[in-house]
């Protein structure tokens, strides 16, 4: 019997588990029924460790001992600004020490430190339990492909592997989150002749990532990534909570903003309301005993909700514009935009995105694929591609490779047109072949090869009839050398040259 394969995605705010079964990828539900498991860990006073939805639901009461948005702190290359932002947003106390950041919690009657990797292992164990619930074989070491953010350094990736394997997974491979998103939608997989730029736009609960890829022959070349740690779904929740607090204050002359627990309740109610308004035209927002025993009960229309979040939209869309510009392309060059993250269920944000890339096909907005689950689905499909019996070395699969620093192009003398040989960031070595026609009135083909704005040199094949078809073969070595060979198809006459990049 073939061992089951899993795809694991664990983000800042949530995680989910995919399984490959009966020729397709599906997402599993946890014991409490939800397929999206909150990435929340709470250390309670009675030495109880609560994980997932139960921990999230207790935020109002146990906020000071509840850890959220942990994944960003696993990244060893995290900036000081992002650490400061994480500390400012955490309800649990975070201390910076010589060996990194630590959470300070009460455990077994005394103050105790917990590191981000320890919390990460606990969250992976929750996902492991969810995966085990789908099996009836007694097997506990589960084979999985695990996702990581693009910005994670190699040491951070090793830490992800370690924590996942400590939780009970055998990590077959790591895959970056935006690549998994493309795989989930079969971008470039059904038609191997498909090529062009694709943008992956992820709006998670705590951050935004925009990644530009060049898709060619079923392969994904990462061109550019833009990360924003200070915007995400929490900004929309916070804005709606502020509106509800103001409305409550005007009605009852009681201000929820003056009490931490009241605002925690209000944020929970606002988040529920936000999710309902993604599919319904109105939502009832309720919070029991919000202030001094007075309940919050308010109906919010989608139109009102959209007017509340409209001022935030430029912040969410700016990374898209920047990523495209930094990649050296225009919105018209983008063929596909693939979305992920639960915040992109909001129709107003979907409309705003479409206005930025009006000519692109946007994937992931319909009911066929839940944006919350898409990364796990992609990881699961990647697991299904791994050949049977391969033992998998995830570290080697994540190593850095040599790549071209700038686009390499060639131009035929007498023809006012440049052809692309290889794009910037394309892994080397590269082999490409093109066919050119000898210009009219000429007995030679003379091509100029350039990298970026710099000419590398020329290659020439002469003594051939006008109109002859000539194969132009390029070979770009790891050391940067460009080898060009010109061969006349009829006479097989050839010329070649080495150029230094």
């Amino acid at each position: 019997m073939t061992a089951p394969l899993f795809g694991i995605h664990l983000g800042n705010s949530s995680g989910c588990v995919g399984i490959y079964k009966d020729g397709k990828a599906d997402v599993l539900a946890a014991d409490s029924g939800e397929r999206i498991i909150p990435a929340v860990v709470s250390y309670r006073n009675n030495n109880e460790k609560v994980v997932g939805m139960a921990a999230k639901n207790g935020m109002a009461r146990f906020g000071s001992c509840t850890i959220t948005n942990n994944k960003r702190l696993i990244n060893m290359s995290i900036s000081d600004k992002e650490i400061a932002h994480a500390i400012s947003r955490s309800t649990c106390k975070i201390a910076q020490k010589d060996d990194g950041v630590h959470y300070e919690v009460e455990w077994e009657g005394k103050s105790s430190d917990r590191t981000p990797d320890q919390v990460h292992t606990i969250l992976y164990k929750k996902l492991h339990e969810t995966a085990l619930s789908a099996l009836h074989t007694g097997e506990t070491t589960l084979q999985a492909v695990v996702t990581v953010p693009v910005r994670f350094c190699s040491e951070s990736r090793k830490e992800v592997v370690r924590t996942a394997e400590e939780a009970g997974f055998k990590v077959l491979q790591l895959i970056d989150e935006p690549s998994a998103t493309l795989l989930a939608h079969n971008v470039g997989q059904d038609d191997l002749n498909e090529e062009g730029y694709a943008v992956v736009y992820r709006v998670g609960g705590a951050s935004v990532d925009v990644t530009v890829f060049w898709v060619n022959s079923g392969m994904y070349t990462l061109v550019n990534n833009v990360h924003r740690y200070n915007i995400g779904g929490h900004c929309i929740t916070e804005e709606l909570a502020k509106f509800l607090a103001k409305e409550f204050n005007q009605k009852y002359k009681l201000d929820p903003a003056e009490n931490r627990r009241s605002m925690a309740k209000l944020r929970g109610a606002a988040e529920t309301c936000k999710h309902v308004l993604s599919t319904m035209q109105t939502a009832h927002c309720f919070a029991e005993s919000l202030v001094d025993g007075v309940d919050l009960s308010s109906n919010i229309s989608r139109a009102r909700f959209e007017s509340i979040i409209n001022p935030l939209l430029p912040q969410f869309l700016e990374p898209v514009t920047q990523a495209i510009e930094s990649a050296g392309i225009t919105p018209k060059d983008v063929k596909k935009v693939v979305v992920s993250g639960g915040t992109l269920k909001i129709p107003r944000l979907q409309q705003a995105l479409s206005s930025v890339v009006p000519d692109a096909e946007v994937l992931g907005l319909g009911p066929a694929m839940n944006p919350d689950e898409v990364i796990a689905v992609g990881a699961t499909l990647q697991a299904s591609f791994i050949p049977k019996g391969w033992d998998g070395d995830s570290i080697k699969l994540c190593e850095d490779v040599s790549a071209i620093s700038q686009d390499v192009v060639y131009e035929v003398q007498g023809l006012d047109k440049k052809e692309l040989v290889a794009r910037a960031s394309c892994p080397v070595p590269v082999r490409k072949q093109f066919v050119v026609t000898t210009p009219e009135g000429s007995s030679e083909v003379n091509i100029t090869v350039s990298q970026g704005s710099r000419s590398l040199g020329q290659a020439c094949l002469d003594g051939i009839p006008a109109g002859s078809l000539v194969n132009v073969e390029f070979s770009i070595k790891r050391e940067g050398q460009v080898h060009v060979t010109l061969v006349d198809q009829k006479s097989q006459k050839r010329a070649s040259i080495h150029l230094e990049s």
Side-chain angles (χ1 to χ4, degrees):
M1 181 177 178
T2 304
L5 297 169
F6 296 89
I8 310 298
H9 171 59
L10 176 57
N12 274 307
S13 56
S14 64
C16 54
V17 180
I19 185 172
Y20 191 77
K21 190 176 181 181
D22 300 328
K24 66 177 183 178
D26 195 15
V27 174
L28 299 172
D31 49 7
S32 52
E34 75 274 7
R35 289 155 64 101
I36 311 302
I37 302 167
V40 183
V41 177
S42 184
Y43 292 86
R44 304 288 171 81
N45 296 331
N46 56 356
N47 296 335
E48 181 185 12
K49 196 161 47 183
V50 182
V51 185
M53 185 59 74
K56 183 177 180 179
N57 290 339
M59 282 290 295
R61 184 178 177 188
F62 300 103
S64 61
C65 60
T66 300
I67 298 170
T68 60
N69 300 321
N70 176 72
K71 186 174 185 177
R72 64 178 61 180
L73 297 179
I74 290 286
N75 185 14
M76 297 177 188
S77 58
I78 186 173
S79 68
D80 291 339
K81 285 186 177 180
E82 188 168 356
I83 291 176
H85 179 76
I87 292 174
S88 69
R89 286 203 61 227
S90 177
T91 57
C92 180
K93 186 176 180 181
I94 298 177
Q96 287 185 275
K97 301 187 177 182
D98 292 340
D99 59 343
V101 295
H102 292 252
Y103 301 102
E104 295 184 358
V105 298
E106 288 290 325
W107 187 249
E108 296 180 345
K110 60 182 180 180
S111 179
S112 179
D113 284 355
R114 291 292 183 272
T115 61
D117 61 294
Q118 288 175 321
V119 175
H120 216 56
T121 301
I122 292 168
L123 292 168
Y124 272 132
K125 284 181 178 177
K126 178 67 175 179
L127 298 178
H128 185 263
E129 290 172 8
T130 302
L132 278 179
S133 67
L135 305 180
H136 306 284
T137 61
E139 178 64 45
T140 56
T141 302
L142 309 181
Q143 300 182 74
V145 168
V146 175
T147 64
V148 287
V150 167
R151 64 191 180 280
F152 269 30
C153 63
S154 59
E155 290 303 313
S156 304
R157 290 168 183 257
K158 291 176 183 177
E159 194 67 12
V160 168
V161 172
R162 188 190 66 77
T163 54
E165 293 191 336
E166 190 175 325
F169 291 109
K170 178 184 178 183
V171 180
L172 299 175
Q173 187 177 352
L174 294 180
I175 181 174
D176 65 72
E177 292 167 358
S179 293
T181 304
L182 292 179
L183 274 178
H185 287 280
N186 284 320
V187 175
Q189 303 303 306
D190 293 332
D191 179 9
L192 294 182
N193 293 318
E194 178 184 344
E195 68 173 27
Y197 286 102
V199 171
V200 177
Y201 181 43
R202 185 195 66 83
V203 182
S207 62
V208 169
D209 274 279
V210 184
T211 311
V212 180
F213 285 94
W214 171 253
V215 179
N216 186 15
S217 302
M219 297 185 68
Y220 307 145
T221 301
L222 195 152
V223 179
N224 190 39
N225 172 260
V226 172
H227 173 66
R228 293 286 184 273
Y229 62 80
N230 56 347
I231 55 174
H234 68 280
C235 297
I236 291 174
T237 301
E238 190 69 30
E239 205 65 23
L240 181 56
K242 287 178 182 177
F243 171 82
L244 292 168
K246 184 177 179 181
E247 190 179 65
F248 187 88
N249 190 24
Q250 289 175 342
K251 186 174 182 179
Y252 298 108
K253 306 305 178 189
L254 297 170
D255 189 1
E258 293 178 350
N259 183 278
R260 183 195 61 80
R261 183 176 291 188
S262 295
M263 285 306 296
K265 282 185 179 182
L266 200 51
R267 289 187 190 98
E271 185 169 355
T272 301
C273 182
K274 177 182 73 174
H275 290 308
V276 172
L277 288 170
S278 295
T279 55
M280 307 292 289
Q281 291 298 320
T282 59
H284 182 235
C285 199
F286 178 79
E288 184 179 4
S289 188
L290 184 62
V291 182
D292 293 346
V294 180
D295 298 340
L296 165 75
S297 181
S298 178
N299 288 320
I300 302 292
S301 68
R302 182 182 287 179
R304 173 60 61 85
F305 174 63
E306 290 179 350
S307 71
I308 293 168
I309 68 171
N310 268 338
L312 298 175
L313 295 181
Q315 298 178 48
F316 283 91
L317 299 176
E318 181 271 336
V320 180
T321 304
Q322 185 190 346
I324 292 172
E325 289 178 353
S326 299
I329 59 176
T330 68
K332 289 185 177 295
D333 295 319
V334 179
K335 287 191 175 181
K336 292 183 178 179
V337 176
V338 189
V339 303
S340 69
T343 304
L344 278 159
K345 295 175 185 176
I346 298 173
R348 182 68 189 92
L349 185 54
Q350 295 174 5
Q351 295 165 10
L353 173 63
S354 297
S355 68
V356 175
V357 280
D359 300 326
E361 179 186 3
V362 182
L363 304 176
L365 299 184
M369 184 80 70
N370 186 337
D372 279 313
E373 302 173 357
V374 64
I375 298 177
V377 169
T380 306
L381 290 173
Q382 178 66 12
S384 74
F385 298 151
I386 296 176
K388 296 176 183 178
W390 180 62
D391 61 358
D393 187 334
S394 58
I395 303 305
K396 288 184 179 178
L397 287 167
C398 298
E399 69 182 4
D400 294 333
V401 298
S402 301
I404 296 168
S405 59
Q406 293 178 296
D407 290 354
V408 175
V409 300
Y410 78 90
E411 185 175 9
V412 180
Q413 185 175 313
L415 300 177
D416 187 23
K417 183 182 179 183
K418 290 186 176 181
E419 292 286 348
L420 180 70
V421 178
R423 294 191 177 274
S425 302
C426 179
V428 289
V430 173
R431 294 183 65 87
K432 286 284 185 72
Q433 179 174 299
F434 303 86
V435 178
V436 301
T437 304
T438 309
E440 288 187 24
S442 176
S443 61
E444 67 177 24
V445 169
N446 195 328
I447 71 168
T448 301
V449 183
S450 303
Q451 184 171 19
S453 60
R454 183 169 63 93
S455 173
L456 301 181
Q458 293 183 325
C460 179
L461 179 64
D462 56 15
I464 55 177
S468 295
L469 296 179
V470 176
N471 294 337
V472 183
E473 300 172 359
F474 289 89
S475 177
I476 305 176
K477 308 295 185 183
R478 290 189 184 276
E479 300 77 18
Q481 263 194 348
V482 180
H483 182 71
V484 187
T485 302
L486 289 79
V487 182
D488 177 34
Q489 289 186 0
K490 188 173 183 180
S491 67
Q492 292 298 300
K493 185 175 182 180
R494 65 176 55 217
S496 62
I497 189 172
H498 286 285
L499 304 173
E500 295 291 339
S501 66

